[in-house]
Amino acid sequence: MMLSHRVGRACHVLVLVLCLSAAEDFDWSANNHDSFYYGTFPNGFSWGAGSSAYQTEGAWDKDGKGLSIWDVFTHKKGKTFLNDTGDSSCEGYYKFKDDISLIKEMNLNHYRFSISWPRIMPTGIRSDHVNEKGVKYYSALIDELLEHNITPIVTLYHWDLPQVLQEKYGGWQNISMINYFNDFANLCFERYGDRVKYWITFNNPWSVAVEGYETGEHAPGLKLRGTGAYRAAHHIIKAHAKVWHTYDTQWRNKQRGMVGISLSGDWGEPVDITNQKDIEAAERYVQFYLGWFATPIFHGDYPQVMKDFIGKKSAQQGLGTSRLPTFSSQEKSYIKGTSDFLGVGHFTTRYITQKNYPFNRGSTYFSDRDVAELVDPRWPDPGSEWLYSVPWGFRRLLNFIKTQYGNPMIFITENGVSEKMMCTELCDDWRIQYYKGYINEMLKAIRDGVNVKGYTAWSLLDKFEWDEGYSERFGLYYVDFRSKNKPRYPKASVQFYKRIIKSNGFPNQREVENWKTKATETCSTSNQLLAAEEQRNTAANILRLIHDPLTSHMEMVTEVVVPTVCTLCILISAVFLMFLLRKRN
Ligand code: NOJ
């Protein structure tokens, strides 16, 4: 769970009066939060769902795969909820054909997945070894998608760095990652680029940097406060740019694809829109989040506000230089313009106000920003602690991207909501509500002129949710993790999403209201199926418990008692024989 979200949650809760208005064009000062817009998406808009390798594949040590930092991290005690691991997860490695049928069933246009670097390069280093079995797996997955007319959108790095690179070099703290990552990307272009036309270099580098190297909540679990995240981000941005240039110079002519990055960003809304300090704090929040990566990629350098704040705080600490690394002028022009499209992952919003952090308490990424996060207690909060449903924040973020970065082509790479583990509820009306609201705000953003070309629901399946293990379920499909075969069951949101796709939007009120009723009608049958399956599982588990002492008893009899008795018998007979022979003599 993101620390910033924890901080936000812990902060005093804010009650704000929300009023209604129905503005046609986007207006930053308008409070048009609750209106619903009936209409459809542009022709050719692409609908999809997503997953990532470590979260779904399982098969962590199969067919020559090397270790990733997540394999090692989750095998240490106390790192994840209930010490859950992704060792088998959804068994997606073995069930990809079944999963593609589910995708087909929903009539999706694209599927977003990621390639596990150590599955195809076990040490992360191309010259060491390329694992052809791993290469084949993704090739088969891509072929199967294309055969069903589903466009693959492929992420190269969804957090599973090869462990060897972490151990040998310190992972993203080390500049050498840039070349290793470029070699890996190059191999992917070489082997799959004839069929894959949408590449995402990094997924959510904010999390990699902050949670991997600053708070240590994610693999590799380092707590290099105030420096680790900035350093990791610096190398990631350069690695992204290098891979884009590699594609541009070596592959683009032949393969005619696109390379982008997927950035995540919460929206930050000023607590008081008439207060200049709040307005600046909210802007800072977004710049330290999405802007940290987007500004170098679109404009060549870090946001001015990051340079100012981190520079000022470093000076207060008595440091000679800023903790935020700098780009040389050649690097700036090399990095600028290296995204053919922008991937956006968005889940939630915060209210933001100014808060001064005294520098003597130690410097961190969080204290560098000088902001406090607040939430409205009326915002729905069905699953993950940090995830409040605030659809209007989505439209605002998209408009921010449009104005800040010159209206780039956007693919929504992640958007969705979770539920808690104990909630085996397939009639997920809160998820329907979430998707309905967020997709509608995206439609409004398109009407505002934002260039959104596709939407990816997050996620296709319930899966391993990083440090939260299996306790948070984001899937459109429910996965029964307790069953060996990991069966999938559709939640009601599958039906709802299907209808949005079929109509390419929200045609009219009567129809849309009908969808929700229809979607929740069918789910009760699936709910019964799942309940029956769960009962069977519980019974099987009880039997196993009863059966287990019996089995081990039997094993002891065959493996210890029988051989011992036999040996004793042989010994006794030998002694007896000797005794008889002696007596006869
Ligand atoms: C963003 C991450 O990229 C994804 O892997 C994760 O499942 C979602 N956040 C939800 O936490």
Side-chain angles (χ1 to χ4, degrees):
M1 188 212 348
M2 298 173 186
L3 187 71
S4 63
H5 295 134
R6 261 198 207 136
V7 173
R9 179 94 184 209
C11 289
H12 23 278
V13 164
L14 181 82
V15 183
L16 285 158
V17 182
L18 305 173
C19 45
L20 293 170
S21 93
E24 268 302 297
D25 290 318
F26 190 73
D27 169 3
W28 291 98
S29 60
N31 195 351
N32 48 359
H33 296 166
D34 290 344
S35 62
F36 195 87
Y37 176 70
Y38 290 95
T40 52
F41 284 83
N43 284 338
F45 190 82
S46 190
W47 298 100
S51 73
S52 84
Y54 187 74
Q55 292 182 279
T56 48
E57 280 177 4
W60 70 288
D61 59 350
K62 295 292 183 301
D63 292 345
K65 177 182 166 292
L67 288 180
S68 82
I69 52 173
W70 273 95
D71 292 316
V72 174
F73 186 72
T74 55
H75 288 166
K76 288 183 190 146
K77 291 272 166 283
K79 299 294 183 193
T80 61
F81 181 81
L82 297 178
N83 293 317
D84 285 341
T85 73
D87 288 2
S88 56
S89 190
C90 309
E91 301 281 17
Y93 185 71
Y94 302 105
K95 294 179 72 111
F96 75 89
K97 290 197 176 161
D98 298 354
D99 291 338
I100 292 174
S101 323
L102 304 180
I103 296 168
K104 196 65 215 156
E105 206 337 81
M106 280 194 286
N107 267 316
L108 300 184
N109 307 108
H110 69 260
Y111 178 54
R112 177 185 177 219
F113 66 91
S114 79
I115 295 180
S116 155
W117 183 351
R119 193 178 290 290
I120 68 170
M121 283 184 189
T123 64
I125 301 170
R126 187 172 182 171
S127 57
D128 281 353
H129 176 53
V130 171
N131 178 30
E132 290 301 334
K133 278 196 179 162
V135 174
K136 261 201 198 131
Y137 164 69
Y138 295 107
S139 202
L141 168 60
I142 292 163
D143 284 343
E144 184 79 10
L145 285 167
L146 293 175
E147 206 162 290
H148 290 91
N149 243 328
I150 302 155
T151 305
I153 298 188
V154 181
T155 309
L156 293 168
Y157 189 84
H158 204 124
W159 307 358
D160 41 1
L161 185 79
Q163 173 67 11
V164 171
L165 295 181
Q166 187 65 46
E167 271 168 26
K168 259 193 171 168
Y169 304 102
W172 291 108
Q173 290 302 293
N174 194 300
I175 195 159
S176 65
M177 286 312 99
I178 300 173
N179 283 338
Y180 290 128
F181 182 65
N182 186 56
D183 289 348
F184 161 63
N186 213 356
L187 178 78
C188 294
F189 298 151
E190 189 183 310
R191 300 296 182 91
Y192 311 126
D194 54 338
R195 290 156 290 158
V196 173
K197 303 300 162 193
Y198 296 91
W199 295 100
I200 291 168
T201 54
F202 288 90
N203 171 71
N204 189 355
W206 184 94
S207 266
V208 178
V210 174
E211 296 177 294
Y213 294 89
E214 170 101 20
T215 68
E217 290 163 290
H218 282 187
L222 298 176
K223 296 182 179 143
L224 309 168
R225 297 223 158 84
T227 56
Y230 299 133
R231 210 179 152 79
H234 202 65
H235 295 142
I236 289 174
I237 293 165
K238 286 188 186 180
H240 159 80
K242 176 143 193 170
V243 167
W244 184 89
H245 280 285
T246 298
Y247 191 82
D248 201 46
T249 53
Q250 296 180 34
W251 302 100
R252 194 187 293 281
N253 266 344
K254 225 183 305 160
Q255 300 184 345
R256 311 233 153 253
M258 293 202 275
V259 178
I261 189 166
S262 173
L263 303 180
S264 72
D266 295 352
W267 176 245
E269 182 76 3
V271 163
D272 174 359
I273 53 162
T274 62
N275 179 334
Q276 191 56 26
K277 286 229 176 308
D278 281 1
I279 294 171
E280 284 167 16
E283 160 102 18
R284 239 175 8 255
Y285 177 80
V286 180
Q287 294 292 5
F288 266 75
Y289 212 137
L290 184 114
W292 183 5
F293 300 90
T295 318
I297 289 167
F298 288 97
H299 299 306
D301 201 0
Y302 290 119
Q304 191 57 44
V305 75
M306 284 188 81
K307 294 199 281 188
D308 292 347
F309 269 65
I310 304 163
K312 180 181 73 187
K313 302 254 172 167
S314 308
Q316 283 170 352
Q317 281 175 278
L319 299 174
T321 50
S322 174
R323 283 179 281 104
L324 183 70
T326 50
F327 295 116
S328 70
S329 50
Q330 283 103 310
E331 285 170 343
K332 284 180 195 168
S333 45
Y334 184 76
I335 293 166
K336 184 175 172 178
T338 55
S339 216
D340 304 322
F341 63 88
L342 179 65
V344 175
H346 174 76
F347 293 89
T348 194
T349 283
R350 291 287 181 272
Y351 279 114
I352 303 295
T353 187
Q354 149 94 23
K355 177 180 175 178
N356 289 329
Y357 285 84
F359 69 89
N360 53 5
R361 296 238 189 98
S363 303
T364 68
Y365 161 86
F366 296 100
S367 63
D368 284 342
R369 301 182 304 185
D370 273 353
V371 304
E373 302 174 38
L374 308 152
V375 297
D376 183 328
R378 288 168 298 177
W379 288 345
D381 174 24
S384 312
E385 213 189 328
W386 52 271
L387 210 173
Y388 294 83
S389 175
V390 194
W392 54 263
F394 194 20
R395 181 183 182 187
R396 293 192 163 233
L397 179 75
L398 291 171
N399 273 282
F400 175 90
I401 293 170
K402 176 189 163 205
T403 41
Q404 292 266 322
Y405 311 118
N407 204 10
M409 178 194 289
I410 294 176
F411 277 91
I412 304 305
T413 42
E414 286 184 22
N415 177 243
V417 68
S418 56
E419 74 242 25
K420 288 276 179 217
M421 174 181 60
M422 299 320 287
C423 212
T424 47
E425 177 59 272
L426 299 174
C427 300
D428 54 347
D429 48 334
W430 68 90
R431 185 172 283 105
I432 289 178
Q433 214 42 48
Y434 181 99
Y435 276 130
K436 186 179 167 202
Y438 273 77
I439 294 174
N440 197 248
E441 292 296 319
M442 174 174 68
L443 180 58
K444 290 182 194 168
I446 292 176
R447 202 182 41 154
D448 299 334
V450 183
N451 189 14
V452 186
K453 294 289 190 201
Y455 175 86
T456 314
W458 192 260
S459 46
L460 178 68
L461 305 175
D462 290 339
K463 58 192 170 357
F464 178 79
E465 187 49 36
W466 310 112
D467 52 327
E468 301 297 344
Y470 295 97
S471 65
E472 292 175 9
R473 295 172 172 271
F474 275 85
L476 287 161
Y477 282 85
Y478 177 91
V479 177
D480 184 356
F481 293 107
R482 287 173 301 179
S483 246
K484 201 155 185 249
N485 189 34
K486 313 289 169 82
R488 285 84 160 120
Y489 298 85
K491 299 179 192 175
S493 45
V494 167
Q495 298 306 325
F496 192 79
Y497 189 36
K498 249 172 103 168
R499 285 170 201 260
I500 296 180
I501 296 170
K502 190 150 182 237
S503 310
N504 199 29
F506 306 95
N508 60 64
Q509 189 168 0
R510 217 159 36 106
E511 206 165 315
V512 174
E513 269 158 19
N514 193 26
W515 291 351
K516 200 172 157 192
T517 328
K518 282 252 150 46
T520 35
E521 261 167 25
T522 46
C523 69
S524 46
T525 338
S526 323
N527 249 350
Q528 280 161 11
L529 267 173
L530 176 62
E533 182 60 32
E534 278 179 342
Q535 264 173 10
R536 258 198 301 278
N537 276 338
T538 320
N541 284 338
I542 293 171
L543 272 176
R544 209 171 297 135
L545 277 176
I546 299 170
H547 186 237
D548 265 1
L550 230 153
T551 325
S552 49
H553 184 78
M554 294 291 285
E555 275 167 6
M556 203 178 72
V557 169
T558 49
E559 286 167 19
V560 182
V561 180
V562 174
T564 319
V565 170
C566 288
T567 323
L568 274 175
C569 288
I570 294 167
L571 273 172
I572 292 168
S573 329
V575 172
F576 188 65
L577 237 146
M578 267 165 56
F579 176 75
L580 270 181
L581 284 173
R582 264 217 200 132
K583 218 176 169 195
R584 220 187 255 176
N585 294 340

